[in-house]
Amino acid sequence: MDLLRDNELIYGRLLPVEEPHLIERYNKALQAFGLPATTREKISIDRTGFSPEVAEDLGDIHYLDPNQINRRFIILTPLQVSLPVVHTAFSNTSQLLYEFLTANARVINALTIKDVIYGEIEDSVAKVEDIEDLLSINQVEFKVLSAEDVTGKAAELATLIDRLKQEPEFWRDTAALEHMVGLAKVTGDIRENALVPEQVIFRHNAYWTSHFGGLYVFVDPDMTTVISDPSAPGFRRSRPWQVSYLSLHDASRVYDFLVSTGRVELPRASWIEDSGYLEHRAEMVVRNLIRKAEPGRDLGKVDRVWLQTWIHGHADLIAQEGTFPFLNAAKREIAQLGQLRMEEVRPDRRFLVIRARPDHPDAWLTNRLISDFVPDDFMARYVFNKQGFYRDYEGFDPVWRRHVVETLKDTYLKNKAAFRARLYGLRD
């Protein structure tokens, strides 16, 4: 993974933390979780406070996610709201943290001046043993603590202020008034700066989870749909009256689900021709064919002329595999008819020519699911399905790894927003 790290393709855009008082605060949160303090003078953190350096020292990448449920978090600064989440068992952890940080921005700004915030994203499940455990999670609650208990002291002070206002004789209690002064020295004037988060409960909607080899949950008004390997415990047995179960290996049924629920855009000239989507898929297919036919081939310096020459010289191989000719035929049909007759397309190839509907709330999750059916498109895997990409990367030979890294650097990393907008219609 060193090549990925050096090129900021893993653990990229993290926030460096090297101020001694912030390291001290981070250690207080670690110790509150029962973990040893870090001896490092500099670490980097993501939105949740996860640090790859601390994980390396502890020998535990799950140190903030011990059971891959009830995720822990450490917040040192409100700047974490703009960071990625680089390690999580649930795809919606990033969104939940974003909602919590933005909904309570004023409180977090005030608290992190004085203290470190830590806690858990808590739900009704302590450990996931089957699909029912996942389906029982309808909402999550942020359990928020601080090392110096600023939040607790602020809540106590607020209660005492209320008593002072409502109980005529309370002002005579000298000890209580002195205690209030002591609390105010820690919290400041809570009438001006609220120090207790106001919104801590959030909905737990559609998501992907790493449990049971990777499982998707999509939520619609009348039905919840689980897409996973059928070997997952509880598959087709948990709540069959309100849950539809689809095998992650059944391309036909998964495609029908995405279309019937309005989650995808079918191949139409209106977006296909301007996006370069089919051309991108075709290039990914050809490059993978070259890798398999000539494992040692360095593709770093090849251009389109060389690729065309290779295609002509390996026409039999390309025709036998079939994907490249299919994409060319699809492009011609769309140019002539304005659309593609999907009923004539083999189910597994349908995922090559569809994308998530950009305005759908589940667009990122849907594109992630599509990428599971198009594993040769390593760029789509990296953008939407980093866990899948990193797993694929482990099986790449060194030459292909270098090519993948250079391609991502020269295309996606140069302008992520423009890349996502052109190919997938997604706007940040």
Side-chain angles (χ1 to χ4, degrees), residues 25 165 177 189 205 247 276 294 323:
R25 289 179 184 179
K165 292 177 179 178
L177 294 178
D189 188 347
N205 292 316
S247 168
E294 304 176 29
T323 307

Side-chain angles (χ1 to χ4, degrees), residues 15 17 61 137 165 305 330 388:
L15 180 70
V17 177
I61 199 168
I137 305 171
K165 292 177 179 178
V305 174

Side-chain angles (χ1 to χ4, degrees), residues 52 113 246 248 250 285 336 363:
I113 292 173
L246 303 178
L248 194 52
D250 191 337
V285 167
Q336 292 170 1

